[in-house]
Structures are given as C-alpha cells and as structure tokens.
C-alpha cells in the first residue's frame, strides 16, 4: 500500500450495494504490515455455488493448491484472504498453514473444511504464521456485515495504491440480481489465467458448472488480457460465488451456461471482470500511463493476442510511452519478435487516431507533432493492423517507469 | 554512445593483431551523430568465405534481407556497416538504400554487388540517406588498413558505452591462425539468433559451408544465451569471414565442419563468441550488475535454457538484483511461469555459493546476511536445480535499473 496514489486511479468509487447471502469482516492481524487490515473473511449464509480460475504457474502457492482440491466439491461457505505473505514456496509448512486456517474458518462458520477457500498475497518463501489470523476468525464471523466491500478490497492490497471494486446488475427471469467484485494487484501481473486475486459474488442462483463456464470464458478478454510486467504470480486466483439468494424473488436456478436466460448476466459479468482487470493495470507499479493495444488483421484471434502481448510486454515500447515518445519503430520490433506470421510490408500502425506507419514504412503524411500529442495523454491507444486476416484482440498494459524499478528494487514483495 | 561508461566495462582492451587479408576504414558521414565516426568498411583483399546468422524477427531490416540474399553465394569482398539509422521498416526506400550502398561499395572494391554485405543499426523507421556514406566509400577503400579493430568497433556503437573487441588464436595443420571479432549492442537485446551486430574475421582457410556450420553451432551458447531486455532487434547480424590467408603458410583448406583439424579453431571461435556476447551484456543499457543464471536438473537442455531465460527476462528478478535484494521468491516465480516442467518441492536455488532454498522451501540454514553479501558484487551468479533430469544451460543478463528507463524514455533509438 503506497502513500502515493496512482494518477490513473478511479476519480470516484461506485456505491457497492450489499449482495444478499454474503457478509464480510476484516481484521489487522499484523502478518507483515503495521496499522492496517490484512485479513478478509467472506461468509456465505447458505452454501454458495463456486467457480475459480488459478495461476498456471508450475510453482503455485499453497492456497492455490488448497482451492484446486476443494473446487470439485462446488460449494463454498467461507473465504479467507490475507495480505503480507503469499504462503508460496513454503513446503510442508505452507500446507500446514492452509490446513490450520481452513480448520479455524470451518469452526467459525459451522461448516466443513472443503467448503472453505483461501488466498494469500505478499512475500514469497517466508513461512506464514497462520495462528495470527486463525485466532481472529471466530470474532470476524460474528461481526461480518454485508456492506463492507471497499474495506474488504483494502484489506487485500499489497503494493496497490487504491482498492479495486466494481458492481453490476442484471436480470434473470425478470429478477434483479447483483454482481459485486473486488480485486488486488499491481505487480507480478501477466495473463496466464487470473493473474492476481479477485473475488466476485452474485446473489443469482446459478449451478457451479454453469458458473465455472461463465468464469472460464470471461477471464480471456479481461484478466487474461492485461499485463503489467510479464511476470506471472504464483498466487493468481479469481473466484466467482453465487449465493442463490435471488431464488427468494422467484429466480429459477440456472443449471447450464448455455441457458439463454444468462445472456444479460453474462454481459454484466464480463463487463465487471474487464472493469476490475483494467483497474489492476491502472494501478500497475509505477504506472503513469494506461496503454490499450489493439491488433487487427492477424491470422486469427490467438495470433492477434500474442502479437498484442508481445507489444505490451516489450520494455522498449513501455519505456517509450513513459517518455511520451511516439517511437513506433519499437512497435514494429515487437510485432517482429512475436513469432506470429507478419508481413513487414503490409503493417500499419496508429497512435490514437494518428496513422504513423503504413505499407511497411513511415506514413507519407506522418506528423511528429500529431503523434506526440497522443503520447501526452494519460490513456494511449496503439493499433496495429497486420494486413493478413481477420484475427483481432485488445490487450492492456501500463508504461514502465523509474518508479517501477524503485518499487521493486526495494520491496521484498 | 553514452558519456558514462558502464561500471562493468572491461578494465583493459586486448591488443588486436592484424588479420591477414582484411583491411578496415571508418568515416564520419553525419548520419545522425555529430563528431564521431558512423561508417565502417571492411575490405577483403581476396574473396573471403562467409557465414552469417540473422534475426528471426518477422520484420527484419533491409540490410538483413540483403545479406540473406547474398549469403548462398558464399563469397565476400566487402562489408559496410553504419550506425545512427537501422534502415528497418523503410519499405522500398530501404531496399533502394541497400542497393545504392552495395553498388558504391562494389565499385570502390572492384567486385560485384553480391560479394558485399551490409548492416545498419540505430533508429527504426527513418529513411536512410545512403548517399551520405556511399560517397565516401571510394576514399575509405583506398585508406583501409589492417590495424584498425578498436576504431572499427567504435564506429558501429549506438547506446554502447564502450567498444567491444576480442581476439583468439588457434592452430590448423600446425599453422597459426587468428580470429578477431567486434560487436555492438546494449539494448533491444534478446536471443533469437544473433541479436546485435558482430563481425568476426579469421585468416584461416575454411570453406563457406564449414564456416556456416561452425557459426550456427557457436551462436547457441553465446549470443543466443544473452538477454538485456527480452526485445529482439530487427537488425541482428553476426557474420564470420575467413580470408584464407593462412594458406600461404601451408594451411590446407578445410572443407567440412566435421574435420578434426578444426577442433582447436572451434574452441577458440566459441570462446571468442562468448567473450563478445558477454561484453554486450556488460554494456546492457543502464546495467550495474552482470547476472549469470545456471539451470541444472531440467528435463533437457532446451528446457533448462527456457527456464534460464524466463528468469533472465523477469523484470522482478532484474529489479531485485538492481536493489541488491536476495529475493529468491521471484526466482521461484520465474521458474513457475516458464511453462517448463517443474516440481516446486524439488527446487533448490543458490545465490553465489549460498543455498537459499531447497526442497520447495527456504533453506533451513538460510542466512540473509550471506545472501545479501553475494548481491553486493558486480557479478551475481544464480543457480537453480530443478531436480528432475540432466538438462542444463547457462544464460547471462544484467540488472534492470532506473537508468534503463531513462535511456529508453528519451532516446529515439
């Protein structure tokens, strides 16, 4: 949690309505930080349907292992999240810590351990003293309230400079349902599943397999389309819970993701996921600019995304944007190194609405002044047309600044 | 060419002996820089055998296209290299520039254009005014001398802070042969072929196919094992020329790379290529530390190299080294994201001789003081044992500092 808030932070926060069926509490357990909350408990009054996507890292954290084991059960009663320690690469001690936490949470909530989900974020490799927060879970379960989303988002921050929340509504069977989400993340952000911690809860009544299908599809153009530094976390966790409380209003349980009744819900969920993912990019460590990179005309959508990520992860592109330099030659370089099919002489590149290159060379009408003006904005759009097919994708990243180096040269995160 | 020399620069330069059969000249053509040389001509007195490896970028520069076309011919009489402009992504103008340069060089040297090789380095996307240096090639051909290696290396520098030269000797048929090389490169350095400009000349008499086999094998553990910033240049060119002048001493022409007479030469060449490649890393933009990353125990050598490069290209690992922080958790992260098979609980990690992690968790005897002492050195060795097989590889990189951001946020390179 930095003392300086990102210049790209949201100008205001939405009012987060309660979601029927879930309550929350936070506590300051002193895991690493002083004078701030670092533990979050989410409690579901009744068993909630659950879906999750996790890091594809070959060295996942102990909580990721724990969640993966429980997910086939499909039911959640509680979630415990801590910041300050990732409980990653902690061997048997890490597994013991997740077991103790789950046991304490299950006791506090009156459920079984496989109905508990866990996530930890912070330093890798330090043993986590789970007794610090397992001792407070009983009290937290009692005090948990439904109107606590912003506080919940604050408790899970690490190098984040602002809390990340989003809310949407949709109708199923004519019944209003709410979707609320929180996220954290600022560094070690690269798309290879969920890439950070995010928890989304709805009061809709949707079965776990349908929920999983919605989430797995929704993560592609949102969390899996953002990168801060190309580094994939050991702890990436994105979970979606459905309390089913809307059944009381007459919403009939949805069993399949293909059910047309989910159309509005799917759109709202996808929009919320994108909102949260972009908030993470806007809080990228040291970020001063948001960069949206759209690739069109690629062989296929997958190729377009790989080209987009090659541009988004290029230190030379990101430092050029930091320096407000319309250095499109580096975009050419990043297209060229992506490994995807490209024909240099068909490439066209835009910064904002300014076409800077076409037919494999500088645009005949190139204006350095016009291109530079685009670079001075907080949000910079780069578009590349590969000129070969119909594949397209958009990815988002931030610039690479001296502050990124300062943050990560000092902080044992 | 920076005013501040990298702290990792060589303490002294070797005396570069002449290589019989090649002469050089440099000139200041004012392509971009003021008050410095920016054109190099290498002239071979007799047709030299030639081999080359080039960038795998899908958007290669015009000179790379030109060299690739000529290479099957197998004979070189001249090389023209300029700094200040990469002649990359310059469309038909770029092709016209290479044609004009080759024509001028061929006229100056009395040969045909397909015996000329070209390389350009500098800004991408700006049209190159080849008349600027094609006009001086005639005079350069006349004044070229054999004792000019350090000056040659200086003329091709861009953001380099020091010239890069290396020399080795070997025996073939009992005849002494010399291998001299120069290189440039500091940023946009990632291994996907040659990754920068480098020209190596020997007086040995070796046929072009054998020369190519030697070079293609030699680039793997040298230039293709270094990275500064994961960004692959559009202009990567590494060429090896054999003037054959040693034939005058009785060296019988070597036709095949499998010839046992090449054993000593191969070892000397490989050593020279590694020397030049590591000089490039030591001059990495903003570098203050050299990092050697050795991966052992991987499934195979290819997997070991990919894991090594995943660590070497991680901004979080590189900023940790910049901050002298023994943050081995980020090494775990980079192993995990590499996509290669890994078993968290078999991993072991060393900083220098200090084992910091073993069996999937922090080493029981971990000493922060000992690990931190390693990080204070100019050269930091990181070793990872994956614990699965016999694959191993070593790759080299540098740290990521605020100076890298400063250099690349300002410089339209």
């Amino acid at each position: 949690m930095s003392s300086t808030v990102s210049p790209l932070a949201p100008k205001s926060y939405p009012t987060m309505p309660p979601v029927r069926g879930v309550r929350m509490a936070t506590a300051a357990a002193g895991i690493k930080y002083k004078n701030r909350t670092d533990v979050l408990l989410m409690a579901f009054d009744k068993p909630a349907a659950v879906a999750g996507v996790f890091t594809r890292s070959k060295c996942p954290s102990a909580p990721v292992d724990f969640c993966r084991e429980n997910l086939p059960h499909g039911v959640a009663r509680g979630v415990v999240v801590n910041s300050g320690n990732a409980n990653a690469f902690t061997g048997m001690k890490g597994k013991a810590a997740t077991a103790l936490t789950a046991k304490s949470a299950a006791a506090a909530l009156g459920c079984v351990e496989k109905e508990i989900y866990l996530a930890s974020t912070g330093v890798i490799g330090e043993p986590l003293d789970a007794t610090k927060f397992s001792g407070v879970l009983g009290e937290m379960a009692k005090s948990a309230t439904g109107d606590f989303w912003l506080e919940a988002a604050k408790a899970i921050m690490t190098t984040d400079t602002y809390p990340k929340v989003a809310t949407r509504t949709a109708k199923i069977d004519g019944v209003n349902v709410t979707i609320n989400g929180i996220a954290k993340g600022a560094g070690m952000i690269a798309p290879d599943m969920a890439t950070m911690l995010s928890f989304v809860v709805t009061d809709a009544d949707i079965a776990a397999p349908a929920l999983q299908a919605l989430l797995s599809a929704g993560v592609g153009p949102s969390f899996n389309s953002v990168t801060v530094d190309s580094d994939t976390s050991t702890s990436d966790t994105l979970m979606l819970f459905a309390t089913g409380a809307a059944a009381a209003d007459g919403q009939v349980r949805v069993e399949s993701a293909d059910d047309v009744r989910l159309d509005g819900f799917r759109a709202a969920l996808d929009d919320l996921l994108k909102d949260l993912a972009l908030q993470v990019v806007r809080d990228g460590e040291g970020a001063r600019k948001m960069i949206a990179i759209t690739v069109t005309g690629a062989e296929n959508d997958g190729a377009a995304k790989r080209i987009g990520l090659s541009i988004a992860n290029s230190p030379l592109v990101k430092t050029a944007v930091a320096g407000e330099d319309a250095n499109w030659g580096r975009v050419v370089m990043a297209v060229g190194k992506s490994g995807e099919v490209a024909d240099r002489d068909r490439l066209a590149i835009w910064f904002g609405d300014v076409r800077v290159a076409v037919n494999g060379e500088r645009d005949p009408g190139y204006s350095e002044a016009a291109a530079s003006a685009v670079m001075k904005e907080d949000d910079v759009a780069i578009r590349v047309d590969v000129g070969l097919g119909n594949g397209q994708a958009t990815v988002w990243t931030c610039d690479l600044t001296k502050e990124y180096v300062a943050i990560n040269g000092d902080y044992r995160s």
Side-chain angles (χ1 to χ4, degrees), chain A:
Chain A
M1 201 153 57
S2 166
S3 55
T4 315
V5 175
S6 166
L8 307 175
K11 302 296 177 239
S12 66
Y13 290 100
T15 302
M16 298 290 288
V19 173
R20 291 170 296 176
V22 63
R23 294 174 299 115
M24 279 163 289
T26 61
I31 293 164
K32 174 185 163 89
Y33 310 114
K34 303 293 173 200
N35 304 318
R36 57 158 281 192
T37 57
D38 56 6
V39 188
L40 165 65
L41 174 71
M42 301 177 80
F44 301 104
D45 298 327
K46 295 179 180 172
V50 55
V53 287
F54 303 92
T55 183
R56 287 194 195 116
S57 170
K58 296 295 172 31
C59 301
S61 67
V64 166
D65 281 350
F66 181 88
C67 289
R68 281 206 172 103
E69 273 176 36
N70 284 358
L71 204 59
H73 189 59
V75 171
R77 287 295 304 277
V79 182
V80 181
V81 189
N82 74 275
S83 55
N85 185 311
N87 193 15
F89 210 69
T90 41
M92 292 308 296
K93 295 186 194 75
K95 196 164 179 178
T98 56
L100 173 61
T101 308
K103 188 177 173 185
S104 308
L109 297 170
C111 66
V112 295
E113 280 133 280
K114 64 183 171 183
E115 294 170 340
I116 300 295
Y117 289 84
L118 304 175
S120 297
T121 178
V123 65
I124 295 173
E126 298 275 339
L128 169 65
D129 180 5
T131 60
K132 281 196 177 173
F133 54 84
S134 63
V136 298
L137 292 173
E139 190 52 47
M140 291 171 78
K142 282 177 207 153
S143 64
T145 68
D147 189 18
F148 216 62
W149 292 92
L150 199 61
E151 288 304 315
K154 285 179 185 170
I156 64 173
M157 288 164 66
T158 54
T159 56
D160 306 64
T161 72
Y162 57 83
K164 297 162 186 70
V165 297
T167 181
R168 296 291 186 278
T169 57
K171 277 185 194 292
I172 304 178
D173 297 334
V175 174
N176 287 319
V177 299
T178 302
I179 316 172
N180 278 9
I182 61 174
K184 67 80 55 179
M188 206 176 276
I189 299 291
D192 195 17
M193 183 82 298
T195 317
M196 78 266 321
L197 304 187
S198 182
F199 305 92
V200 180
V201 185
T202 179
D203 55 0
D205 193 4
I206 303 174
L211 212 56
Q212 184 67 49
L214 287 169
L215 187 64
S216 296
V219 75
S222 60
F223 284 105
N224 277 358
S225 290
V226 302
T227 177
V228 167
D229 52 12
S230 79
D231 277 343
T232 301
S233 167
T234 54
S235 307
D236 296 343
T237 299
L238 165 61
M239 302 197 77
L240 171 61
F241 304 92
T243 67
D249 294 345
Q251 189 231 306
V252 178
R253 186 176 178 85
V254 181
E255 296 288 347
S256 164
D258 299 329
D259 194 318
V260 293
R261 294 182 298 152
L262 278 182
D263 288 354
F265 183 89
R266 185 195 319 274
L269 173 66
D270 288 350
D271 198 47
L272 176 138
L273 292 174
K274 182 175 165 186
D275 184 343
L276 289 173
L278 296 196
Q279 287 190 56
V280 169
V281 174
R282 288 183 180 281
D283 203 11
E285 287 170 342
R288 291 295 174 270
K289 305 241 184 217
M290 164 87 166
I291 314 172
I293 298 163
T294 299
V295 177
T296 57
E299 274 213 312
N300 52 55
D301 290 352
K305 188 165 180 178
R306 285 185 289 272
I307 291 170
L309 287 172
S310 179
I311 299 168
N313 283 323
S314 160
L316 290 172
V317 171
K318 292 157 78 85
T319 49
V321 174
E324 301 188 340
D325 177 7
N327 195 324
W328 56 270
R330 294 182 183 173
V331 177
V332 174
M333 176 281 299
V335 173
K337 78 163 182 167
S338 71
E340 294 302 321
V341 177
D343 178 343
R344 180 184 57 202
D345 299 334
R346 288 171 180 235
L347 270 189
I349 300 170
W350 290 256
F351 283 170
D353 294 329
V354 181
R355 193 176 67 181
V356 292
V358 66
N359 297 332
E361 61 182 306
R362 193 167 67 187
D363 194 296
Y366 178 78
S367 158
E368 178 84 17
S372 292
V374 172
M375 307 307 290
K376 294 195 188 307
E377 301 291 326
D378 282 352
D379 285 18
V380 174
I382 299 177
R383 182 155 82 86
V384 174
D385 190 82
V386 185
L388 293 177
N390 294 315
Q392 57 181 299
T394 298
V395 303
W396 294 269
T397 189
C398 55
D399 57 344
L400 172 58
T401 66
K402 292 175 191 174
E403 287 70 30
Y404 178 89
V405 178
I407 291 165
N408 288 299
D410 305 333
Y411 172 64
R412 180 76 63 95
S413 61

